[in-house]
Each structure stands twice: as structure tokens, then as C-alpha cells.
Amino acid sequence: MPCERRPMRYGHSEGHTEVCFDDSGRFLVTCGNDGDVRIWEGLDDDEPKFITVGEKAYSLALKNGKLVTASSNNTVQIHTFPDGDPDGILTRFTTNATHVTFNSSGSRVAAGSSDFMVKVVEVADSSQQKTLRGHEAPVLSVTFDPKDDFLASASCDGSVVVWSIEEQSQLIRWPLLQKTNDVSNAKSLCRLAWQPVGAMLLAVPVETKVRLYERGSWDHVSTLSDDLQTQLINVVAWSPCGRFLAAGGVGGALTVWDVKRQLCIERQKHEKGFTVCGLAWSPSGRQVAYTDTEGCLGLLDGLCTSAPSTKPAKKAAEDYDDLFDDDDDRLMDEGLGDNNSPVKKPVAGDNDEDDDDCLMPATGRPRNRGAILDDELSLDAGSLKLGRDKFGGGDDRDDASSAGMPAAPPPGPLRPVYQGPVPTPPQKAFQPGATPAHLTHRFMMWNSVGIVRGYNDDQDNAIDVEFHDTAVHHAMHLTNSLGHTMADLSQEAVLLACPGTEELASKLQCLHFSSWDTNKDWMVDLPAGEEARALCLGGGWAAVATSALMLRLFSVGGVQREVFSLQGNVVCMAGYGEQLLIVYHRAPGFDGDQALGVQLLQLGPRKRQLIRGEALPLSPRSHLTWLGFTAEGTPCYVDSEESVRMLNRSLGNTWTPVCNTGETCKSRSDHYWVVGVHENPQQLRCVPCKGSRYPPTLPRPAVAILPFKLPMCQTSTEKGLMEEQFWRSVLFENHFGFLSSSGYEVDEEAQTRSQKEQQELLMKMFALSCKLEREFRCVELAELMTHNAVTLAIRYASRSRRMGLAQRLSEVALQKANRLREEAPEEPEEEAELTAPARRASGYEVTGGRHSNRPYLEEQVERVPEPEKEAEEEEEEEQQQEEEQEEEPETRKRVNPFKEAASPVVPSLTPIGKAGRANPFKVFGSSSSSSAAQPRGTNILDNMASGRKSSPLAGSAGKANKGPVLKPLPPRPRSKTQSTLLQMTSSKKTTGDIRQKQPEAPPPAPPADSGPNERPKTGFQLWLEENRKSISADHPELEETEVIKEAMRRFRTLSAEERLSWTERSKSQTGDGADLKKRKRGGRGDEDGGRGEAAVDAADGQHGSVENGAKKKRSVDPSSKLSAFAFTKT
């Protein structure tokens, strides 16, 4: 039984939908969740007639020009057909009716309800009613016995009951179904069906099979099943001849059985796999119409069955035989006698009740299973058998002919059947933010500016425009005399368009309410044969896409601008400022998918195409439902699977899913209708639609705000949640760069807050990875951090006793510093002060020193504390901060040491810490400058979390009340913002006499020299001092950093006793900490007292005493700093 599955089409809003044929088979009638009954003149009817019967329509039945519907107002109504005039109410229930059906004559209607009752009503006199009580749950379906004696019903209580109509009593009850409390929760609708011819069998769908019960005895006689039927059967329907039974399943399976042979003869699948909830045979028996839970209508065409009448078949056979001459007949009947030629046999016998003649080809010619005219298109080899039951026969003559007929030749190979992908009907053009045009009251546009409503009923045909912000414009009421069906709204104008007619062309009308002119509206006629399909408004322009694959641009004042051709039929458009987004059909889609293309144009002074016809990604088997821009100008769209996607400009203009509104719906029939998207703050503005895809106009729907969520893996875990938050923050930060490049004002505070949030998330993920001992993952996270955050990560790793990880992180920080140094151009000296804020914002400044890896690594290592000395160092830091605060006024007045320095100083980039950290790239020129500039830092992780800022002159860490600037700007000649921390002289200079005595800055001190504030040397540092020359002699080509690494490697090879001895030697050189602090205070006071009149004496003699006084010396040797980083308590 080969047939064609016609493409499905939209019929009603999402929800339960039913279908039936009229008595002639000319009309298809459907009802749905939108409360409408639609009358279709075939599946291709684009303008069906509709009748509104209520808020929702649950079921319908049609017979003898009477249309009966069960609606949500708890009534069963009757209308005339096809006029659709109301003809009264047949009956009422205390709740909504669930199913209605006619008897075979059309004189009675049976209706089941959710109040557990079944009523049988006379159509001619609705007062004649019979009520059948006995179900204990809502009724699922009802069906009449063709002889009008019995009625069968199925209920949510799990039972199927056969009633005697006259006695209003139960005859038999079968507990076959799964119990449930409501029709909406039932897994199967269990639509029962009674055999129309003979009235011998009752078909009951039970799970994946259909049970057949015999009328009268009520015995279970057989079961129809199919191995490929794996999901529940929802509805069954008999063919008009009563020989075939069609079934529709929950998973979209469509099956047709030959009941007599209990053989599956046709299998089809819903193109999108939706549940089939309505099924009806045409009176001719060659078509089966079906509907799904999404409100769509489909058709199986070409089913090879016919009505019981045999005369047309005989006539068709005679006409078909006349096409061939005798020679052809002899060739075709070769091997057969003249009396038993199959084409000469009658199609059916004299017994009119024999229904075996129902199986007929589409041409009307009876099938000869044994000759050359076999039905090669049949999908079932069992249908090729030759037998008396195939052609009616039944008399003795047929028996004799059959007995004398030779055996049929074996059937040849079946003709191959196409099993490839099936083309998908292209999606029709629509207007984003609008509800379907067939609704009498609808939203023509709902966007971030306002709402445009359209009313088209018997009383009024008008358009209302309402603005969210009344400061833009007051509300407007427009008469829709032209029949506009499309609209768009901006802060400048309202754009309307209407379709063309035979007499009038399609028109475009614009109401420019922001114009200072008195004539605020204009209108233009499109060329003949060209109709508007989509339109949109932007910043000072309007666009309309037409049926001629043209896009026409206009200024908002009505001046025609560019015209260009589209690459396919337009689907929809959206505009924002200078951006125009177009979606069109780029190719035919297959297997339910739409092949859409997208173009993004910039229509400003510099016109260009940003996206050049690339494919628009959609969810599988879905279509586009909304297109637009965020409030910040980023393109985004929504598909029918309720997935929201946004353009990711930083990833090559790819589309990233940012939300799925279906995950927040309480029911599968509920949806969210998107009206706006915001990136700052992150909000998705939607209208909740319960039981439908579109909201009603009255009462005004409330807007809900949904959060965004990227479809990351394992978001229920802490790691997955932080990863989703980080990448969502990165994605939504892209709009700052776009707004800045487009000349818009940028919220710098929000941008800074977003960047800070990202770094905090990275640090949290870093800490979590450290706890899980995922050090390689820690390094990967460090690659995503800024330079300052990597510095924090190094300290965290060192405090966690993960020295190997800290070493690798220092290499990452070094790479980042080199990369930034290469990217940053050297600025002219005279622009130093002007460009200082930009350098401070980027986190880097220029300091004296050479461009090499050594200074950075030395400082980075020095900044990693030894855990056993943290408490002692923090006490020292507090006192150093107090001392620096006391000398801050004098420090600001110091003379620029770089103005007369004879040694060349090459500027280098060094990061400015946000929390008052020491400069990790700084190389000190002398021990005295180091002593003034190297206080230790406090807990940097705490500083990041609390956002504390240090004073401008605090080299390491400050308190919460300090200013945001950590230290002065980079040293430049003739600059007023010199950093005292970077002085390259051997001591502090305050007078010109001292500069005369020291005209040049001395070179960096050797590793053996120590400053007054240096830490005690470690065992590795002492070992390195003694073995440096041997290492340099062995490897003269190594730089300083490589020498230190080689020393580390050799030191590790020493035995534990040797390393312990070096450690003891280092401890023996450690002085008393309390005496050191006292000496610091005394030294500081001496130094302060030596200023002013005693400046010359300080230069002659006191300077040496300060250097060689009682202060504790701290080495600035790079090797000692690196050893402190790598070997703590070796």
C-alpha cells in the first residue's frame, strides 16, 4: 500500500488538535488550542475559513451538514456547515467536554466530559438526553456502535466500558489502561473506533498494540501489532470499507493494518516526531489526515483503497484494456487460456456485502497479482499472493478458473523506494515581535520601544501604538483603512505595510512622528507584482524586503536610497542604529531542518557587510521564531526549540547559545514569547504564554525576566558553575568594545566590574584546581588571567607549598610581560604626562632598567614569600609602612635622579599592582635605593577580594584608606611624577652639592653587596656565591636566569646533609630582629636629621656612617631572590 506523505503545515497554536473530513471529502475541518475551527479546501489552502467557538476547542465531529464542537466553556455547540452559523448548544457539563462523536446516521451525538459523565443527545431535540454514569475519572473518548445499540467509552480510571444506550447501563468493563487523574496527564488518549461495515469489531489501543473485541460476545478475538511500533498508540481510525485500520502513536508513528490478514501494510513517520493526536479517513479511503500536538496538519495521500462500489472499477478496467490491441493482450496473457485471462475477469462477484474489493490501485484497475501487471510499488511482499479473496469472486466459476490457472511466476525484484532525506517546506516570512496575522486582535509589534496592536473585527479595523516611555511620544490610534498587516516601531517613526490586491499595489507607509516638519507621514507604492514580505526601522532609515527578492532602503523622511537583491526569499529582518540584519532561505532544508542564511550590514557613513551570507545555525528540526538586537546592539535570535543565541564578535562572528527558555517552563505546552534582550544587566525579557506560543492582547500580558545560562557541562558542580559564569561574563563584555568602536558612550564602571568579576572567578577556579591537585589545569587558568592576577596566583601557589607550580606560573607571567612589552609602543617623552592615565589603566608603567628577563624573574621570585617567615615579615611591613608615611613629603620633593645620570637607562615595562605590590621588573642601582623601596607585601589574595588600595608611594602594600595610585608614574626627563623607588644612585640626594660629588649613577651592586633592609641569605644563596664562578666557567654562554636555574639543578644533587649544613650557615648569619627594627628607626631619624643645614656634612661623612651603621643588611643579589622562591627549607 504505497502512499505519499504530504508536508505538514501550520494549523493552530500548540496544543491538542483534531481533524475530520466532511461527507463529500472536499473539506478538511480542524480545531485546536486557539479556540478556532478551520475549514480547509485541501491541504494547500492558504486562506481557510475559520469559526471561533471558544477560548479552546477540544474536539469536533461533522455529519450531514452539522458541525459539533466541545469547547472550553463547558458546552457542546452545534454550527451549520460550511457556513459556520451558530445553531445552538446541545448540552452542558460542569467542566469541559473532552470528546464528541456522531452516530452513523448523524441523528445522535455522544459527548464525554471531565466530570466523569457521558451524554447521548438527540440532534433534532437536544432535550432528549441520556446520561451514562459509572466512570471514576475524566472520560478520554467515546464511539457509537454502527447499529446504534451500544456505546463504548474510555476513561482516565483505566477502564474501557461498553454501554447499552437504551438501558443506560454497563454491559462489560475492561481494565486495560494506565490510571491518571486528568486528560492532560494521560499517556494515551485511547481514541476508540468501531468497525463501520459489519459492525463486528471494536478497536481499542492498548500501549503499543490494538486489541480487537467482537461485538455481542465481547471476546478478545485478535491483536494488531508491529515490531517497529515502540511507543504508545494514541488514536485509531477505520477505513470506510472497514477492512483497514490506521493508528497514530505518541512518537509520531503512523501505521495501517490489513485487519483480515493482521498484516501491517503501511508505515510512516511524522516528519518531526511529534505526537499524533487526531486521525481521520477520507470518504474515498485514499487519504488519511492527521494532526499533532504542535497544531500542525498533515496528510497521507495515495492509499490504495476504494469505496465498496465495483462498477467504477469495472469501467476503469475496460477503458484500460482498450488501450492495448490483441497482440499486446496475447503477449500479456502468454501461458494463460483465453477463458482465464486475468484482465478479462470480473472485479467482484455478485455478493455486494463482500468487502474484499476494497483494495484497488490508484487508477481504478484491479490488481492482477500473478501477471506482468503486478503492483510493483507495494511495500509488502505478502500483498503479491494470488487468491480468490483479492478479487471478490466467490462463485463456482471463479473457483474453476482459479483451479485451471497455472502457478503464478515468482515475483520480480521490488522497485527501489527512495529512503533519503525529505525536503522541508520553507518557512514563511514573518515579522519578529508579532503574533500570527489571522488573529483578529493581535500584536503587530512588541519591542523595546513600544507596542503596536492591530484590531480587525466587525466593529473596528484600527491600529494602536503605545510607547513604554511616554517621553518619546504619546499613544496613537490609527485607522487601518488600507489593511496593514506588518509594522515596526522605533524612537523616530512607525513603519506599516499592507499586501497588494488585484486593483491596488502593496504599500509602505511611514509615520515620522519625531520630524519637526508638519507633514509627518509619507507613503510609497511598490512596483506591480512586488509585495512587502518584511520590514524594519533603524537609525534614520527604513528597509523593506519584497517578494521580488529585492531589499529597498528609504530614509526616515521618505528618500529612496540603495536597492539590492537578496540571495533568497526573506524570512525576517531587524534593525538597530546603523545595523541591518537579514535572514533568508539560502537553500532547501531537509528532514525538518531549515537552511537559512544571514547578512549583517552596516549602513553608516562607512557602509560595509559584516556577515556575508553565512548559515544561520538552528536547533535540529526547528524554525526561526524571533530575530532582533540586544539593547546594546548585539544581534540575537530564538528558534522554535526555544534556544536563544547571540553573536560572539570576539570569536569570528559565531553564534553562542545563551539561554533555553523551555527549561524554565512548568509544562511542555507553556512557552515564553521573547520581546527584548539586555546585556547590561543580563536580562531576557519574555511574556509567559500558558498553553500557547503567543500571548493574548487583553488583558495586557505581564513581562517576565529570565536569566542567561550557557549550555556548559556539569553546571551542577562548583567547577562547571564557575566556568559557565566566567565565559558568560566574557561573552557579554564584548558589547563594550563594539559600543566604543561605534562612538557610543561606554559604562566604564560596569566594564571594570565585569573584568574584576572575571579575574575573581579565575582565581576561585585556580584555588579549586590547587585543592584537587590539578597543577596543569592551574597553568591553563593562569593563561587566561591578567598579569596582576598571575602574580596573585604565584603567591597562592607558594603559600600552598607548590613550588613547582609557582615556578611555572612565573614563566607564564614572564611571557605575558614580554608580550605586553612587544605590543606597547614607546611613547615620546613630551607626551609622558598625557599618556600616563592610559598606562596606569593598562597596568604597566615605564621604569629605569634594561629589557631582559632577569629583572622580572628576580623581582618575581623575591615577591614569593617563604611560608615560615610570613609572620615575621608582616610585622616588619607594618613598621616600614609607618616609616614611609613619615618620609613621604620629602620623597615627593626629591630631584629627578635621571636628569643628570651619565649611565644610559633603557625604559622597560613593569606592572603596577592594584593592591600595592612591589614592582616585579625593577632592578635596583644600589643598596640604599633598595633599602628605601623594598618593603614586603601583605596578603594579596585578601587585597583582591576586598579591593583595598595602597598609597601612591607605598611600594608593596597599603591600608584601606590609602589612595588608588600605588607609586608615581614612569621616570621621564623633566617629569614631575618621578618614582623614588626607582632611583639608581647609591644613596638619597637632596642638594646640588651631593650631585656634584656623585655625577653618575653607579652600576648595580654585585651580589655580595647588601642593603640595610635586605633579608638574611638562605643556604642556597650562600652556596651560589661560592660556586657562581665555576658555573659561569662551565657555561659561559648562559644568561643570568639560566645560571640560576643551573645552580638550582646542581644544588638539588647535593646530599641532604650538605644542604642542611648550608642552611645552618645561613641561619648563623641572621641577626636579632628586634635590634634590627630599632636600628631602622634610629637610622631613619639620623637620615632625617641630616637634612637641611647638615646636608654637606651628611654628604661628606654621615652618608658613609648610614651605609655602614648598625642597620641590618639585605642582599639584592638576583640569585638569592630566586633561591628564596625555589628552595624554602631544603
Side-chain angles (χ1 to χ4, degrees):
M1 182 180 283
C3 68
E4 176 190 2
R5 189 192 70 191
R6 301 276 298 279
M8 300 197 70
R9 65 169 302 156
Y10 173 82
H12 299 270
S13 61
E14 182 182 359
H16 178 76
T17 312
E18 289 203 2
V19 62
C20 67
F21 283 91
D22 72 325
D23 297 334
S24 64
R26 176 186 173 189
F27 296 102
L28 275 167
V29 186
T30 61
C31 71
N33 215 31
D34 52 11
D36 289 343
V37 174
R38 299 212 169 105
I39 303 172
W40 312 76
E41 293 188 20
L43 191 65
D44 298 328
D45 186 5
D46 291 333
E47 296 182 356
K49 181 179 179 181
F50 66 92
I51 308 167
T52 302
V53 297
E55 184 178 350
K56 294 183 180 180
Y58 296 109
S59 181
L60 83 166
L62 179 61
K63 198 82 171 181
N64 299 337
K66 297 292 185 180
L67 177 64
V68 175
T69 56
S71 60
S72 56
N73 54 7
N74 305 343
T75 62
V76 177
Q77 307 175 37
I78 187 169
H79 292 76
T80 61
F81 184 84
D83 297 332
D85 297 330
D87 199 15
I89 296 176
L90 283 180
T91 187
R92 296 178 182 272
F93 293 93
T94 57
T95 183
N96 56 283
T98 56
H99 191 218
V100 293
T101 185
F102 273 104
N103 63 355
S104 57
S105 63
S107 60
R108 287 179 172 180
V109 170
S113 171
S114 293
D115 61 4
F116 311 168
M117 291 193 300
V118 178
K119 291 185 179 181
V120 180
V121 186
E122 297 289 338
V123 176
D125 185 4
S126 60
S127 62
Q128 301 296 321
Q129 298 185 7
K130 291 182 171 61
T131 303
L132 308 178
R133 293 181 173 88
H135 282 301
E136 299 175 355
V139 179
L140 290 171
S141 66
V142 292
T143 181
F144 272 107
D145 166 29
K147 296 183 179 180
D148 218 13
D149 295 332
F150 308 113
L151 184 139
S153 63
S155 171
C156 291
D157 59 11
S159 66
V160 175
V161 178
V162 178
W163 309 79
S164 171
I165 298 177
E166 296 302 325
E167 298 178 3
Q168 303 183 33
S169 62
Q170 295 184 12
L171 296 180
I172 192 168
R173 185 186 188 97
W174 298 299
L176 302 175
L177 311 176
Q178 184 175 353
K179 294 183 180 181
T180 185
N181 60 353
D182 189 60
V183 177
S184 60
N185 298 327
K187 293 186 177 180
S188 171
L189 294 177
C190 192
R191 291 288 197 248
L192 309 174
W194 221 302
Q195 189 178 22
V197 177
M200 294 304 297
L201 299 175
L202 172 65
V204 182
V206 180
E207 295 183 350
T208 61
K209 302 177 181 180
V210 178
R211 295 191 178 189
L212 300 179
Y213 292 87
E214 185 178 14
R215 183 183 185 273
S217 66
W218 312 117
D219 294 333
H220 177 210
V221 294
S222 63
T223 300
L224 303 178
S225 63
D226 183 20
D227 294 338
L228 300 180
Q229 182 71 41
T230 58
Q231 294 185 339
L232 299 179
I233 295 178
N234 214 27
V235 57
V236 295
W238 289 89
S239 64
C241 63
R243 179 172 178 176
F244 303 99
L245 183 71
V250 171
L254 294 165
T255 310
V256 180
W257 284 281
D258 185 331
V259 177
K260 189 171 184 178
R261 294 185 293 165
Q262 298 186 21
L263 187 64
C264 177
I265 58 177
E266 188 67 55
R267 299 184 187 93
Q268 292 288 345
K269 181 75 174 179
H270 189 289
E271 63 185 32
K272 293 188 177 181
F274 296 144
T275 297
V276 176
C277 56
L279 204 62
W281 285 80
S282 67
S284 65
R286 297 181 182 177
Q287 293 179 328
V288 172
Y290 60 96
T291 54
D292 59 25
T293 53
E294 296 293 316
C296 295
L297 172 65
L299 192 68
L300 298 181
D301 198 1
L303 294 169
C304 300
T305 63
S306 66
S309 176
T310 60
K311 293 181 180 180
K314 292 180 180 180
K315 178 65 177 176
E318 294 174 359
D319 295 342
Y320 188 78
D321 291 337
D322 291 341
L323 297 176
F324 302 95
D325 54 18
D326 296 339
D327 296 336
D328 294 331
D329 289 339
R330 284 193 296 271
L331 290 173
M332 294 170 60
D333 300 336
E334 184 176 0
L336 303 178
D338 293 339
N339 295 330
N340 53 20
S341 177
V343 295
K344 299 297 193 291
K345 298 303 294 178
V347 175
D350 297 334
N351 187 5
D352 292 339
E353 293 183 359
D354 191 354
D355 56 6
D356 291 344
D357 57 344
C358 293
L359 190 60
M360 299 290 295
T363 61
R365 175 179 172 83
R367 295 180 179 177
N368 184 353
R369 305 294 190 188
I372 198 171
L373 296 179
D374 285 282
D375 180 19
E376 296 178 355
L377 294 176
S378 177
L379 297 179
D380 195 339
S383 63
L384 299 176
K385 294 171 58 179
L386 178 67
R388 179 181 57 183
D389 56 327
K390 298 296 182 294
F391 303 106
D395 52 7
D396 296 338
R397 183 180 58 185
D398 287 336
D399 292 341
S401 300
S402 300
M405 183 180 299
L414 297 178
R415 181 179 302 172
V417 178
Y418 177 71
Q419 298 292 341
V422 179
T424 304
Q427 179 181 357
K428 293 185 178 180
F430 71 97
Q431 196 70 10
T435 52
H438 67 269
L439 301 177
T440 55
H441 293 183
R442 56 183 289 254
F443 291 107
M444 299 179 69
M445 176 54 61
W446 187 329
N447 58 18
S448 59
V449 178
I451 302 174
V452 181
R453 294 184 179 88
Y455 304 94
N456 185 12
D457 50 26
D458 298 336
Q459 290 79 20
D460 192 11
N461 188 359
I463 297 174
D464 288 342
V465 182
E466 175 186 348
F467 295 88
H468 300 315
D469 185 3
T470 55
V472 176
H473 199 271
H474 58 78
M476 295 182 290
H477 180 81
L478 310 175
T479 302
N480 191 11
S481 57
L482 296 175
H484 294 298
T485 58
M486 291 179 286
D488 196 11
L489 179 64
S490 71
Q491 295 188 352
E492 296 178 303
V494 179
L495 188 64
L496 304 169
C498 64
T501 61
E502 296 180 358
E503 297 83 10
L504 300 176
S506 179
K507 297 181 182 296
L508 186 69
Q509 183 178 3
C510 180
L511 179 59
H512 186 198
F513 53 78
S514 65
S515 173
W516 49 266
D517 194 359
T518 56
N519 297 323
K520 296 181 179 295
D521 60 337
W522 54 269
M523 184 182 302
V524 62
D525 292 347
L526 296 180
E530 196 170 335
E531 298 222 359
R533 290 284 185 259
L535 53 84
C536 66
L537 282 168
W541 55 266
V544 56
T546 68
S547 58
L549 302 184
M550 302 282 288
L551 190 137
R552 301 179 179 274
L553 289 173
F554 299 85
S555 70
V556 74
V559 179
Q560 297 191 53
R561 292 177 51 181
E562 294 85 356
V563 179
F564 60 91
S565 296
L566 298 174
Q567 301 180 29
N569 291 313
V570 69
V571 177
C572 58
M573 297 194 307
Y576 178 92
E578 298 176 350
Q579 299 180 89
L580 171 61
L581 188 64
I582 310 168
V583 175
Y584 58 90
H585 290 284
R586 63 196 300 263
F590 291 92
D591 289 341
D593 296 329
Q594 298 286 336
L596 304 181
V598 59
Q599 283 182 284
L600 180 60
L601 305 176
Q602 184 172 341
L603 304 178
R606 182 186 176 188
K607 298 179 178 61
R608 53 179 177 155
Q609 189 171 355
L610 303 179
I611 299 180
R612 303 174 180 273
E614 300 174 2
L616 186 72
L618 297 174
S619 301
R621 300 179 180 273
S622 67
H623 57 274
L624 190 65
T625 57
W626 185 84
L627 181 75
F629 290 85
T630 65
E632 291 75 17
T634 303
C636 53
Y637 65 94
V638 186
D639 60 28
S640 58
E641 293 298 322
E642 304 185 60
S643 177
V644 184
R645 291 177 175 84
M646 182 179 297
L647 184 67
N648 189 349
R649 301 181 191 270
S650 64
L651 196 61
N653 287 337
T654 55
W655 299 92
T656 302
V658 295
C659 181
N660 191 311
T661 60
E663 295 178 354
T664 59
C665 295
K666 297 181 180 179
S667 173
R668 291 185 60 185
S669 60
D670 297 342
H671 299 278
Y672 283 98
W673 193 58
V674 178
V675 296
V677 183
H678 294 261
E679 297 181 76
N680 184 25
Q682 299 178 13
Q683 292 180 354
L684 181 65
R685 303 176 65 84
C686 307
V687 175
C689 303
K690 188 169 184 60
S692 65
R693 287 189 176 271
Y694 306 102
T697 56
L698 293 175
R700 177 171 179 170
V703 177
I705 296 177
L706 301 182
F708 291 102
K709 183 179 180 181
L710 301 185
M712 308 291 281
C713 299
Q714 296 180 335
T715 52
S716 58
T717 64
E718 184 180 5
K719 170 180 173 291
L721 181 60
M722 288 190 293
E723 288 171 341
E724 188 274 334
Q725 292 175 351
F726 171 74
W727 288 111
R728 174 157 46 87
S729 178
V730 171
L731 174 65
F732 282 85
E733 189 191 359
N734 291 338
H735 75 277
F736 290 113
F738 167 75
L739 293 177
S740 178
S741 62
S742 301
Y744 294 97
E745 182 180 356
V746 177
D747 187 353
E748 296 182 357
E749 181 180 355
Q751 185 176 10
T752 304
R753 185 167 56 250
S754 176
Q755 295 173 351
K756 179 181 178 182
E757 176 189 7
Q758 294 171 22
Q759 298 307 311
E760 289 179 353
L761 288 169
L762 286 174
M763 286 302 301
K764 290 179 181 178
M765 289 189 284
F766 179 87
L768 179 62
S769 299
C770 284
K771 293 179 181 178
L772 299 177
E773 297 184 354
R774 299 280 187 177
E775 295 190 359
F776 187 86
R777 184 183 298 168
C778 292
V779 177
E780 291 178 326
L781 292 170
E783 293 286 351
L784 302 174
M785 297 180 184
T786 61
H787 187 275
N788 294 332
V790 174
T791 306
L792 300 179
I794 294 174
R795 170 159 303 217
Y796 185 92
S798 65
R799 289 191 175 184
S800 302
R801 304 296 193 274
R802 301 181 184 276
M803 296 306 174
L805 174 60
Q807 174 65 26
R808 292 187 179 274
L809 293 178
S810 67
E811 296 175 0
V812 172
L814 180 60
Q815 294 173 3
K816 289 181 175 290
N818 292 337
R819 190 180 308 119
L820 289 172
R821 184 166 56 238
E822 293 172 359
E823 294 176 357
E826 190 167 340
E827 300 172 355
E829 295 181 356
E830 57 271 11
E831 298 179 1
E833 295 186 10
L834 297 177
T835 57
R839 291 197 301 274
R840 185 184 299 112
S842 64
Y844 288 85
E845 66 171 347
V846 180
T847 61
R850 297 185 180 274
H851 290 281
S852 65
N853 298 340
R854 176 182 175 185
Y856 164 75
L857 187 58
E858 292 170 356
E859 276 302 318
Q860 187 62 54
V861 171
E862 191 275 334
R863 296 178 65 248
V864 180
E866 298 181 49
E868 65 271 14
K869 299 181 181 179
E870 283 291 334
E872 179 182 351
E873 291 174 357
E874 289 181 0
E875 295 179 0
E876 184 180 345
E877 290 164 6
E878 296 179 359
Q879 297 191 10
Q880 287 179 355
Q881 291 172 11
E882 295 175 1
E883 297 168 1
E884 290 173 357
Q885 292 175 11
E886 294 175 359
E887 74 172 328
E888 179 176 339
E890 292 184 12
T891 304
R892 292 182 181 272
K893 299 179 182 179
R894 288 176 183 169
V895 180
N896 184 0
F898 297 96
K899 287 185 178 181
E900 300 179 6
S903 60
V905 179
V906 181
S908 64
L909 286 173
T910 58
I912 301 176
K914 291 184 178 180
R917 295 186 295 273
N919 188 347
F921 297 118
K922 183 172 54 200
V923 176
F924 301 108
S926 66
S927 59
S928 64
S929 63
S930 300
S931 65
Q934 285 295 321
R936 299 293 297 167
T938 57
N939 191 343
I940 303 181
L941 293 177
D942 296 339
N943 291 344
M944 178 177 181
S946 61
R948 292 181 296 176
K949 299 179 181 179
S950 63
S951 64
L953 297 179
S956 165
K959 298 181 181 179
N961 57 354
K962 301 287 181 172
V965 182
L966 299 178
K967 57 185 176 180
L969 290 176
R972 293 286 186 182
R974 296 176 300 279
S975 173
K976 297 180 180 180
T977 57
Q978 300 299 326
S979 173
T980 61
L981 301 180
L982 303 176
Q983 294 180 9
M984 305 298 292
T985 59
S986 60
S987 62
K988 301 178 182 179
K989 298 179 287 293
T990 58
T991 64
D993 296 334
I994 297 178
R995 287 198 302 272
Q996 293 176 0
K997 294 180 181 181
Q998 296 179 350
E1000 295 182 359
D1009 294 344
S1010 301
N1013 291 334
E1014 287 296 330
R1015 296 182 304 176
K1017 295 181 180 180
T1018 64
F1020 172 72
Q1021 292 172 336
L1022 295 177
W1023 181 89
L1024 179 60
E1025 290 178 0
E1026 293 188 5
N1027 296 274
R1028 177 185 293 274
K1029 294 183 179 180
S1030 62
I1031 296 175
S1032 300
D1034 296 340
H1035 304 279
E1037 74 283 356
L1038 296 181
E1039 296 182 0
E1040 184 63 26
T1041 55
E1042 282 75 10
V1043 170
I1044 296 175
K1045 291 181 180 179
E1046 177 65 19
M1048 290 179 182
R1049 188 186 63 79
R1050 295 189 181 185
F1051 189 78
R1052 292 192 187 101
T1053 60
L1054 299 179
S1055 63
E1057 291 77 7
E1058 292 176 336
R1059 286 183 291 181
L1060 182 60
S1061 64
W1062 283 104
T1063 304
E1064 293 297 332
R1065 289 176 57 183
S1066 67
K1067 290 183 179 179
S1068 63
Q1069 298 181 5
T1070 304
D1072 183 63
D1075 295 338
L1076 173 63
K1077 296 174 185 178
K1078 294 178 180 179
R1079 288 195 296 270
K1080 282 185 179 179
R1081 290 194 180 91
R1084 182 74 65 180
D1086 295 340
E1087 185 179 11
D1088 294 338
R1091 300 181 185 274
E1093 297 179 356
V1096 176
D1097 296 336
D1100 294 337
Q1102 189 176 356
H1103 175 67
S1105 63
V1106 171
E1107 280 189 340
N1108 303 320
K1111 291 186 179 179
K1112 183 179 179 180
K1113 297 183 178 181
R1114 299 176 66 186
S1115 173
V1116 293
D1117 180 22
S1119 62
S1120 65
K1121 297 176 184 177
L1122 189 58
S1123 63
F1125 159 76
F1127 295 97
T1128 302
K1129 281 193 174 182
T1130 54

